[in-house]
Amino acid sequence: MSADRGWTELHEPTDDVVDATGPVPVVAVVGRPNVGKSTLVNRIIGRRQAVVEDVPGVTRDRVPYDAQWSGRQFTVVDTGGWEPDAKDRAGAIAAQAEIAVSTADVVLFVVDTTVGPTDVDEAAVKMLRRSHKPVLLVANKADNANIELEATSLWSLGLGEPYTVSALHGRGSGDLLDAVLDALPDPPPVGEPGPRGPRRVALVGRPNVGKSSLLNRLAREERAVVDSVAGTTVDPVDSLVEIGGETWQLVDTAGLRKRVGKASGTEYYASLRTAGAIEAAEIAVVLLDASEPISEQDQRILTMVVESGRALVIAFNKWDLVDTDRRYYLDKEIERELKRIPWALRVNISAMSGRAVEKLAPALRKGLKSWEQRVPTGVLNQWLTALVQATPHPIRGGRAPRVLFATQAGTSPPRFVLFTTAPLDPGYQRFVERKLREEFGFEGSPIEVSVRPRKQLGPGGRGKPHG
């Protein structure tokens, strides 16, 4: 197999993908800061998903991605830069890397070929030996044959022959992945497709509202780096956690400060990852800081979720910091700022103390049930007939459009189509949507109501609906 396979060839679809029922093996990518770990992760997964920037410390949490090579599926975990005796945030990042090593089946230890072995690399080798995990030494940034020769100095680390690669250009990536598969445990026997996987939940909000703290609280361990400095999370952090006796797939996302079009650098790519995480989720939990006024950034994030068509739970975090006066003003803000989404479910929690976090599971279930709810056509039209008889459309130009019938065109989110004799006033269309919610619920889910007027063929002519 060629060692110089390119980006697109690296992940061509295969017909012999192993559909194993057992746990997917895990490959952790570790190393000191700025050796190209995230670039290697992007090379392995075949897409530019991990946030990469030419400064150290961009990755801060352990971030898993789905990967595949030669029909074998596995999870590759990107980590922040490991450094010995690190303190504060750097210490938390290093701890996350060590946790990734402890939970991995195989570890890729990445070093910089152009620099050679360093004291930090040698300290990292001692940490890796204590883990008793299979370790492959990856000599990155070997962009040409001359630089490859410099990798001989890395034998001194005592991890065997280094695999020389250029994560940026793809040199050596095929041979490295073959070695990864050889080091992974044997796959379990192929079985029947299992039950539906965990429901996907995106945790979103502006910086420093407590998303990572909530993830850690729910996971009952330090899954994400938490720091008082806003913007600690850059990549989406994907975790399986148990809430209310059920396993959920939670994605902790970067805090959004600006519109995607106005962001730059790491923040721009983090914004794209957050938008992608929302699109991949079924329901979003938007965290707001209950101790502070609802901001423009909060509104922008809520709009992003609503426009994505995902179910929505608004979690007012830091409730332990809310006094009587603040509750009064918060009620006024909710009435004023959130009046366009009165259907959103709301819970008051404290991620730091754990107050009322158990209320999240019932809210998530209710939102998803509404998101997937279907109203039988007969029931829908009986209700609609009674509604338009009790409250007809206002007369415009001497006549009023009639609603002929309705149907639910889809779910996730629920979508309804009204077939009419003529376009409806926007106000009447909103009236129908409001009454639809009053009758059938849909708490926690957006719904779409569209109108298909009958095409007019001229005076006295019969018409038919558009489309």
Side-chain angles (χ1 to χ4, degrees), residues 115-146:
V115 174
T118 67
D119 292 343
V120 175
D121 292 329
E122 292 173 356
V125 169
K126 294 178 182 178
M127 179 270 291
L128 294 172
R129 290 192 190 283
R130 292 194 298 269
S131 73
H132 302 292
K133 296 296 177 74
V135 178
L136 300 180
L137 176 60
V138 182
N140 191 28
K141 304 186 183 180
D143 296 345
N144 56 56
N146 291 332

Side-chain angles (χ1 to χ4, degrees), residues 399-405 417-424 450-467:
R399 57 193 310 175
R402 290 184 297 113
V403 180
L404 303 174
F405 67 97
V417 181
L418 307 180
F419 293 85
T420 65
T421 58
L424 301 183
S450 59
V451 176
R452 295 183 69 179
R454 187 170 61 187
K455 186 182 296 183
Q456 299 297 323
L457 301 181
R462 296 176 62 86
K464 60 180 180 180
H466 284 292

Side-chain angles (χ1 to χ4, degrees), residues 7-8 10-11 40-48 66-67:
W7 192 293
T8 54
L10 193 61
H11 286 267
L40 180 62
V41 167
N42 284 337
R43 175 63 58 182
I44 291 173
I45 65 178
R47 57 192 183 276
R48 295 175 177 84
D66 294 329

Side-chain angles (χ1 to χ4, degrees), residues 375-383:
V375 180
T377 301
V379 174
L380 178 63
N381 282 280
Q382 288 177 6
W383 165 82

Side-chain angles (χ1 to χ4, degrees), residues 101-269:
V101 169
S102 68
T103 58
D105 296 290
V106 175
V107 178
L108 299 184
F109 177 49
V110 185
V111 295
D112 188 335
T113 307
T114 63
V115 174
T118 67
D119 292 343
V120 175
D121 292 329
E122 292 173 356
V125 169
K126 294 178 182 178
M127 179 270 291
L128 294 172
R129 290 192 190 283
R130 292 194 298 269
S131 73
H132 302 292
K133 296 296 177 74
V135 178
L136 300 180
L137 176 60
V138 182
N140 191 28
K141 304 186 183 180
D143 296 345
N144 56 56
N146 291 332
I147 299 178
E148 272 190 32
L149 296 176
E150 300 178 18
T152 55
S153 64
L154 298 172
W155 280 86
S156 64
L157 292 172
L159 295 176
E161 182 178 2
Y163 288 87
T164 53
V165 303
S166 171
L168 185 61
H169 303 296
R171 297 181 84 250
S173 52
D175 287 347
L176 173 62
L177 283 167
D178 286 343
V180 168
L181 295 194
D182 289 342
L184 289 175
D186 293 333
V190 176
E192 295 297 321
R196 176 178 181 166
R199 309 307 296 266
R200 299 184 302 279
V201 184
L203 296 180
V204 293
R206 58 186 170 88
N208 219 28
V209 294
K211 299 183 295 299
S212 296
S213 296
L214 178 59
L215 176 60
N216 290 339
R217 168 66 60 178
L218 296 172
R220 300 177 182 87
E221 66 170 347
E222 296 298 313
R223 294 283 184 91
V225 176
V226 176
D227 197 288
S228 59
V229 177
T232 304
T233 302
V234 176
D235 292 283
V237 179
D238 201 336
S239 298
L240 293 177
V241 301
E242 184 175 311
I243 316 173
E246 182 178 351
T247 299
W248 305 78
Q249 183 177 341
L250 265 64
V251 184
D252 178 20
T253 63
L256 298 183
R257 296 180 180 85
K258 305 174 183 176
R259 294 182 176 88
V260 173
K262 294 186 177 180
S264 61
T266 301
E267 188 171 11
Y268 170 75
Y269 290 106

Side-chain angles (χ1 to χ4, degrees), residues 83-99:
E83 296 177 280
D85 305 321
K87 305 295 183 183
D88 301 324
R89 186 194 300 187
I93 293 170
Q96 289 294 312
E98 292 180 21
I99 293 172

Side-chain angles (χ1 to χ4, degrees), residues 299-328:
Q299 292 281 22
R300 191 179 306 130
I301 292 164
L302 287 166
T303 298
M304 180 185 295
V305 174
V306 171
E307 291 180 349
S308 74
R310 299 306 180 259
L312 171 61
V313 175
I314 300 176
F316 287 93
N317 192 27
K318 307 183 184 181
W319 196 255
D320 48 336
L321 304 180
V322 177
D323 57 21
T324 304
D325 289 342
R326 174 60 191 148
R327 291 186 187 186
Y328 170 80

Side-chain angles (χ1 to χ4, degrees), residues 432-446:
V432 173
E433 178 179 338
R434 186 174 70 253
K435 292 297 184 180
L436 193 63
R437 286 189 178 279
E438 290 178 7
E439 178 68 21
F440 299 108
F442 299 109
E443 290 181 275
S445 173

